[in-house]
Amino acid sequence: MLPELFLARMQLQLGEEYPAFLESLERPRAVALRFNPLKGSAPALDFVGENVPWEPMGYYYDPEARPGLHPYHEAGVYYLQEASAMSAVALLDPQPGERICDLCAAPGGKSTQIAGRMAGEGFLLCNEYSPKRAKILSQNIERMGIPNALVTNETPQRLAQAYPGFFDRVLIDAPCSGEGMFRKEEAAVSDWSQETVQMCAQRQGEILESGAELVRPGGRLVYSTCTFAPEENEGVIRQFLQAHPEFTPEPIEAPWFTPGPDGSFRIWPHKVLGEGHFAAVLRKTDGKAHEVSFAEESPVPKEWSDFAKEQEIFLPEGKAVLFGTTLFWAPVQMPQIRGLKVLRPGLELGELKKGRFEPAHALALWLRPNEKTLCLPWDSKELKAYLHGEALPWNKRGWCTVSADGYTIGWGKGDGTMLKNHYPKGLRR
């Protein structure tokens, strides 16, 4: 049962379209996934159907399928993401080599979508205020094999102070009352109230203020929510533009979405195969770019150099960053991170351990298969055993990656007869 106050407002908003809107909420929801271009070409899967119109890598899939249990999911080949949720990044239009910030990033759907479009080039800051959700975000950045992302657990205000005018594009997928998810999540219905709408609108305005500080002059800011409430959408944007003459709505060609005022768009569930969403595209036309110090590079440890030579690993342009005994490979454009709560400063390479190097799971997920890789079919009993944590027959010595049909999924270490399993215990089935 939907809240009566919500239904009354929606009837006023939609007028003659209201019956079609109500009918759409009774239909089964469309489910979608997005392939990861960082993993190479998308595989042909029998449960994948039509393309999501606004995302080239997005596809609807059979709701009876369970793609989250497929080994390809563990290998980061795709991300399960609601189709309408892909719209904000389509409007952000990130490009390789840019500096981009996803300010409210958990659980990581939009960050991993941005990373795919950046093709491993440039710098991506993924931030989440909630420590628990930030950990999930970091895990998804790892699973999708993203090398150029800094994951932080900070307030938007702290990031705005640290990196004013630093980013070419900023996405604010703001926490909201979640009305667009009523068909998807029962909790969104039970938690809803008009007071929640007002509280969210105030918080969204505060986050938008910080996001505005992060954008460089000439940069793009996209604000999005998954709610229908005008107070959280057009109302927030209207108040922001009144207070910030340095921002202006930016015209965007987006024929799949319903255009609104001030550079805004809406996605209605009775018009597309997706849930409700809102987004506004703004351009910063004036302001000052501030100088930002870049993160210092750590010396490259010999343990890593020896391991990389043995494994024939060639990293992209970047810099070594040592956190205790854990070695990361950070993007060149990563700024100074001292004083911030950092979960992942780039690609985790591995751990330094008394004269040897132990590779990280993240490194395996980033690598492509080579002659040292144990390649297994996705539906083989051997791969199932590997994901369960079992050792496998293997006649070689040393570290090697394990792949599912050519998509790397983890590490193993051979002793000449068996391959010791190094798939993370927390991920084993």
Side-chain angles (χ1 to χ4, degrees), residues 37-163:
L38 299 178
K39 284 285 181 172
S41 58
L45 297 171
D46 57 9
F47 55 82
V48 172
E50 295 183 4
N51 178 238
V52 175
W54 46 88
E55 171 50 60
M57 301 300 288
Y59 290 84
Y60 298 101
Y61 67 85
D62 181 355
E64 297 298 320
R66 303 180 70 186
L69 300 179
H70 199 291
Y72 287 177
H73 182 267
E74 300 307 311
V77 177
Y78 53 75
Y79 190 103
L80 303 181
Q81 186 178 22
E82 198 277 315
S84 294
M86 303 178 193
S87 62
V89 173
L91 295 170
L92 186 70
D93 192 25
Q95 300 296 318
E98 292 183 326
R99 302 171 182 173
I100 299 176
C101 174
D102 186 357
L103 194 54
C104 310
K110 294 176 177 65
S111 283
T112 56
Q113 186 181 2
I114 291 169
R117 295 197 177 205
M118 294 177 73
E121 300 176 18
F123 170 66
L124 172 61
L125 170 59
C126 315
N127 180 67
E128 174 55 44
Y129 174 68
S130 163
K132 183 178 180 180
R133 286 168 54 80
K135 184 177 180 181
I136 296 171
L137 167 65
S138 182
Q139 291 168 346
N140 279 321
I141 293 296
E142 175 178 276
R143 180 172 64 86
M144 302 299 278
I146 296 168
N148 58 327
L150 166 66
V151 181
T152 57
N153 171 213
E154 278 294 348
T155 66
Q157 293 84 357
R158 290 251 302 161
L159 290 180
Q161 292 169 2
Y163 308 133

Side-chain angles (χ1 to χ4, degrees), residues 285-301:
T285 58
D286 196 8
K288 182 180 179 182
H290 299 262
E291 291 293 328
V292 173
S293 299
F294 289 92
E296 297 176 2
E297 183 173 5
S298 301
V300 177

Side-chain angles (χ1 to χ4, degrees), residues 251-324:
I252 296 288
E253 288 290 327
W256 317 281
F257 314 138
T258 303
D262 299 326
S264 68
F265 297 89
R266 279 185 178 268
I267 296 181
W268 295 103
H270 61 288
K271 293 186 176 182
V272 302
L273 286 176
E275 307 303 320
H277 251 70
F278 170 89
V281 185
L282 307 176
R283 176 71 67 177
K284 192 172 188 178
T285 58
D286 196 8
K288 182 180 179 182
H290 299 262
E291 291 293 328
V292 173
S293 299
F294 289 92
E296 297 176 2
E297 183 173 5
S298 301
V300 177
K302 182 178 183 300
E303 294 90 340
W304 160 254
S305 298
D306 292 344
F307 179 84
K309 183 177 180 180
E310 176 191 327
Q311 294 292 318
E312 300 180 355
I313 297 173
F314 301 96
L315 295 173
E317 185 180 13
K319 51 191 173 186
V321 175
L322 195 60
F323 266 38

Side-chain angles (χ1 to χ4, degrees), residues 109-263:
K110 294 176 177 65
S111 283
T112 56
Q113 186 181 2
I114 291 169
R117 295 197 177 205
M118 294 177 73
E121 300 176 18
F123 170 66
L124 172 61
L125 170 59
C126 315
N127 180 67
E128 174 55 44
Y129 174 68
S130 163
K132 183 178 180 180
R133 286 168 54 80
K135 184 177 180 181
I136 296 171
L137 167 65
S138 182
Q139 291 168 346
N140 279 321
I141 293 296
E142 175 178 276
R143 180 172 64 86
M144 302 299 278
I146 296 168
N148 58 327
L150 166 66
V151 181
T152 57
N153 171 213
E154 278 294 348
T155 66
Q157 293 84 357
R158 290 251 302 161
L159 290 180
Q161 292 169 2
Y163 308 133
F166 183 73
F167 293 96
D168 299 299
R169 302 174 197 257
V170 172
L171 173 63
I172 300 175
D173 185 42
C176 67
S177 58
E179 294 173 359
M181 297 292 108
F182 278 179
R183 179 168 56 173
K184 181 182 177 183
E185 299 175 4
E186 290 185 10
V189 179
S190 59
D191 292 344
W192 184 91
S193 70
Q194 188 58 38
E195 291 75 19
T196 300
V197 169
Q198 298 297 338
M199 179 191 70
C200 287
Q202 179 178 347
R203 180 173 55 184
Q204 290 153 356
E206 294 169 356
I207 296 173
L208 195 48
E209 289 290 328
S210 297
E213 288 290 320
L214 290 162
V215 185
R216 67 164 176 81
R220 177 178 291 184
L221 173 64
V222 170
Y223 171 85
S224 71
T225 74
C226 59
T227 193
F228 300 116
E231 299 97 317
E232 301 179 63
N233 296 329
E234 293 90 350
V236 169
I237 294 299
R238 183 174 60 251
Q239 292 180 25
F240 174 79
L241 289 174
Q242 288 172 353
H244 290 273
E246 74 275 20
F247 280 86
T248 185
E250 183 169 10
I252 296 288
E253 288 290 327
W256 317 281
F257 314 138
T258 303
D262 299 326

